[in-house]
Amino acid sequence: LITIADDPRTLGELGEFGLIRALTQRLPPSPRALVGIGDDAAVLATPDGRVVATTDFLLEGRHFRRDWSTGRDVGHKAAARSLADVAAMGAAPTALLVALAVPPDLPVGWALDLAAGLAAECERAGASVIGGDTAQAPDVRLAVTGLGDLAGRPPVLRSGAAPGDVVAVAGPLGHAAAGLALLSSGLRETSPSLVAAHLRPEPPYDAGPEAAGLGATAMIDVSDGLLADLGHVARASGVLIDLDPALLRPAEVLRTPGGSSARPGNPDHAQALRWVLTGGEDHSLVATFPPGLTLPARWTVIGRVLSSQDMLANQGTPTGQGALGVLVAGQPWQGGLGWDHFA
Amino acid sequence: LITIADDPRTLGELGEFGLIRALTQRLPPSPRALVGIGDDAAVLATPDGRVVATTDFLLEGRHFRRDWSTGRDVGHKAAARSLADVAAMGAAPTALLVALAVPPDLPVGWALDLAAGLAAECERAGASVIGGDTAQAPDVRLAVTGLGDLAGRPPVLRSGAAPGDVVAVAGPLGHAAAGLALLSSGLRETSPSLVAAHLRPEPPYDAGPEAAGLGATAMIDVSDGLLADLGHVARASGVLIDLDPALLRPAEVLRTPGGSSARPGNPDHAQALRWVLTGGEDHSLVATFPPGLTLPARWTVIGRVLSSQDMLANQGTPTGQGALGVLVAGQPWQGGLGWDHFA
């Protein structure tokens, strides 16, 4: 192992093939890769006869800032974004392909930290980096492809939610958004755990196959915000989803990010609920399950699935926010909807 | 189908989900995708029990220029880069995942042209776009993941070339480099076919599985330049590769890109040979085959594989250019080596 975490050289001095060698040494080989890093393409075993595949950008200035995130943070986050999508299909993550563009003046150590973060998050998920690409760019850019294995089960789609199902979430809600708010306000030290939730989300990968095994009817990962992502489920399934604010209890840390006390009705509580409903990037999993199941403890029930007729009966044709297909305590949410990449 | 090729709107006005809808309408569904565009991830059938996977950037300003390339050109090239890597493993391309970042002021028509180019190149290769990601960026950025099927055959690696093998190429050499030179010199009209070879390379995808079926011992696609890419094969295989300049006859169009006559010995001929040896981005396939095979007509023999001892016996320890592992007429090439992304 070349020990160049403190290497004073830049990537421009190391060269493309030196960078690839150094990165590869930090990425453990995959037991499932028949051909790994170093050929024209990788070859991954897919004994199930199907492969789950998804790809995501992680762009400096858009998805992360180098003055907030270490290389290791960025590696964790890049892997988490794609592998959470794999888990949200009910699949176990198996492999990652990483396209990485870097400026020539990037310190070598930053790139090696990135590789360490990718490797560590892959290990959390049970996956490995099996290939990639490198290029030069004025800023750091990643595009990460996640692959996964359904182990014989049908995929859990967005379109299977049915009236009467319960809605449940595994993983935190609003923590990443609160962490981003603290970073943006220069309050990084106020709650290191919330800041960490933004910089290094920890999707509950194994909750994905677990939900599939329990008979989940629909599932999605919370990347754009709970309302926005459940809106995709509601529209794809042709249903309404009604969230119960009494069940959406924001975590204590979220209600007091500045250390102040917070009770329902005061501004901190309203802000916490907003983070829970519209904050993205937690990469928690939210799923619908048939009624009457006993769910494992990490799944918190937060609402139920209604027939789309229920809203028509109550309120006429859905319009405006109502068209989202997600209600909070039976009413359209009046706040923002979450993240639009072009807004 | 929304007919907005001439849509005066920008992508910022169309919005993220409007863009995704418009792109998706231009991308035919895949017969192999059990789940296609529109869920957290795609699910691709892999009846072989393995999947070939590779990922590549195509970045504006680095890999293409919008004043030279249309959206359609960029779509073709983005697909070709990844799918040629799949073919170079001996696999048939099956699917593409496309991450696309665009500036909000990009005309809608440009993005739709891009989708049309992706779809057309996928059709040439027998593949389909099955998923992707969209983001906002100050310039156009693509990261394309190609997937493929080995149909029961072993993958053709870089490491299998053996002394005595012949080296053969399918597809043009140096055309893309000559086209780039014409574009750079403002001579676009001089040879539209060379310019097209740069803007829209046409990898001979089916030559990949064909070579595998014929017993190719090693294969790579010519993306960085013939010498550079064969250097990867030589080093991975522990052999020397000796190219025969008499067999590397530059195509007529390459010897007379400016319309002048060119014979061996004059400057145009030397330039043409340089394009053939070091020009990248043709995405032709170069492979090594056991001696004595009768190769189909599209495979042109250009050299042979030697034992690495042959060079030691002739010239002592390889150093400098000789360390590349590729010789031209028994001698190290004295020109440049091809493309280094950090040079």
Side-chain angles (χ1 to χ4, degrees):
Chain A
L1 197 70
I2 303 173
T3 53
I4 43 180
D6 298 320
D7 195 312
R9 287 179 300 173
T10 64
L11 291 180
E13 291 158 350
L14 188 61
E16 181 184 18
F17 296 107
L19 168 63
I20 293 171
R21 267 194 303 276
L23 293 175
T24 303
Q25 287 174 320
R26 271 152 188 82
L27 298 169
S30 166
R32 294 187 196 82
L34 308 168
V35 177
I37 297 171
D39 217 295
D40 290 278
V43 181
L44 181 74
T46 57
D48 175 76
R50 299 167 296 172
V51 67
V52 172
T54 180
T55 197
D56 280 290
F57 272 126
L58 197 75
L59 303 174
E60 181 176 356
R62 187 81 192 161
H63 301 110
F64 68 92
R65 291 170 51 158
R66 263 195 282 159
D67 55 342
W68 288 353
S69 293
T70 64
R72 200 171 167 107
D73 291 335
V74 173
H76 273 274
K77 193 168 194 163
R81 276 169 71 85
S82 284
L83 297 178
D85 280 328
V86 171
M89 300 299 286
T94 54
L96 217 59
L97 299 161
V98 181
L100 171 64
V102 290
D105 64 356
L106 190 75
V108 168
W110 199 95
L112 297 183
D113 264 1
L114 174 85
L118 286 167
E121 191 65 24
C122 278
E123 190 179 355
R124 277 195 68 238
S128 311
V129 177
I130 61 168
D133 183 33
T134 53
Q136 187 179 313
D139 43 41
V140 178
R141 305 171 186 179
L142 289 105
V144 176
T145 297
L147 302 175
D149 174 31
L150 286 163
R153 290 181 305 270
V156 183
L157 307 183
R158 297 178 178 181
S159 54
D165 286 353
V166 299
V167 180
V169 64
L173 289 174
H175 291 210
L180 177 59
L182 292 176
L183 280 165
S184 302
S185 308
L187 297 171
R188 183 173 188 139
E189 303 309 321
T190 306
S191 176
S193 75
L194 291 178
V195 170
H198 171 72
L199 298 177
R200 292 191 196 183
E202 296 191 350
Y205 301 111
D206 54 350
E210 178 181 76
L214 290 164
T217 53
M219 185 154 50
I220 194 166
D221 92 296
V222 183
S223 52
D224 294 346
L226 183 64
L227 290 178
D229 290 315
L230 279 177
H232 296 311
V233 171
R235 284 192 300 277
S237 300
V239 298
L240 280 176
I241 289 175
D242 188 22
L243 299 177
D244 183 344
L247 301 174
L248 279 171
R249 288 181 300 273
E252 180 66 24
V253 63
L254 210 57
R255 285 178 284 157
T256 59
S260 66
S261 68
R263 295 178 307 278
N266 80 8
D268 279 2
H269 184 84
Q271 176 61 271
L273 185 61
R274 200 149 46 231
W275 282 327
V276 165
L277 289 170
T278 66
E281 297 195 297
D282 286 306
H283 300 292
S284 295
L285 296 177
V286 60
T288 56
F289 295 93
L293 291 179
T294 302
L295 296 175
R298 67 168 150 191
W299 289 93
T300 304
V301 173
I302 58 173
R304 62 198 175 118
V305 179
L306 307 177
S307 158
S308 57
Q309 300 305 313
D310 294 345
M311 181 144 183
L312 294 174
N314 287 342
Q315 307 190 330
T317 305
T319 54
Q321 304 289 4
L324 178 69
V326 185
L327 309 174
V328 180
Q331 300 296 323
W333 174 249
Q334 298 300 331
L337 284 187
W339 183 248
D340 179 325
H341 295 281
F342 291 91
Chain B
L1 195 71
I2 304 173
T3 53
I4 44 180
D6 298 319
D7 195 311
R9 288 179 297 174
T10 64
L11 291 180
E13 290 158 351
L14 189 61
E16 180 183 17
F17 296 107
L19 168 63
I20 293 171
R21 266 193 304 275
L23 293 175
T24 303
Q25 288 175 318
R26 272 152 188 82
L27 299 168
S30 166
R32 295 187 195 83
L34 307 167
V35 178
I37 297 171
D39 217 295
D40 290 278
V43 181
L44 181 74
T46 57
D48 174 77
R50 299 167 295 172
V51 67
V52 172
T54 180
T55 197
D56 280 289
F57 272 126
L58 197 75
L59 303 174
E60 181 176 356
R62 188 78 191 163
H63 301 109
F64 69 91
R65 290 169 51 156
R66 262 194 284 158
D67 54 343
W68 288 352
S69 293
T70 65
R72 198 171 170 109
D73 291 335
V74 173
H76 273 274
K77 192 167 195 164
R81 275 168 72 84
S82 285
L83 296 178
D85 280 329
V86 170
M89 300 300 285
T94 54
L96 216 60
L97 299 162
V98 180
L100 170 65
V102 290
D105 63 356
L106 190 75
V108 168
W110 198 96
L112 297 183
D113 264 0
L114 174 85
L118 286 166
E121 191 65 24
C122 278
E123 190 179 356
R124 276 194 68 237
S128 311
V129 177
I130 62 168
D133 183 32
T134 54
Q136 187 180 313
D139 42 40
V140 178
R141 305 171 187 180
L142 289 105
V144 175
T145 297
L147 303 174
D149 174 31
L150 286 163
R153 291 182 305 271
V156 182
L157 306 184
R158 297 178 178 181
S159 53
D165 286 352
V166 300
V167 181
V169 65
L173 289 174
H175 291 209
L180 177 59
L182 293 177
L183 280 165
S184 303
S185 308
L187 298 170
R188 184 172 187 140
E189 302 310 319
T190 307
S191 175
S193 75
L194 291 177
V195 170
H198 172 73
L199 298 177
R200 292 191 195 183
E202 296 191 348
Y205 300 111
D206 54 350
E210 177 181 76
L214 290 165
T217 53
M219 185 154 50
I220 194 167
D221 91 296
V222 183
S223 52
D224 294 346
L226 183 65
L227 290 177
D229 290 315
L230 280 177
H232 296 311
V233 171
R235 284 192 300 276
S237 300
V239 298
L240 279 176
I241 288 175
D242 188 21
L243 299 178
D244 183 344
L247 300 174
L248 279 171
R249 289 183 301 273
E252 180 66 23
V253 64
L254 210 57
R255 285 178 285 157
T256 59
S260 64
S261 68
R263 295 176 306 278
N266 81 9
D268 278 2
H269 183 85
Q271 175 60 270
L273 184 61
R274 200 150 45 234
W275 281 328
V276 166
L277 289 170
T278 66
E281 297 194 297
D282 285 307
H283 300 292
S284 295
L285 297 177
V286 60
T288 56
F289 294 93
L293 291 180
T294 303
L295 296 176
R298 67 168 150 192
W299 289 94
T300 304
V301 173
I302 58 173
R304 60 197 177 120
V305 180
L306 306 177
S307 157
S308 58
Q309 300 304 313
D310 294 345
M311 180 144 184
L312 295 174
N314 288 342
Q315 308 190 330
T317 306
T319 54
Q321 304 290 5
L324 179 70
V326 185
L327 308 174
V328 180
Q331 300 296 322
W333 173 249
Q334 298 301 330
L337 284 185
W339 184 249
D340 179 325
H341 296 281
F342 291 92

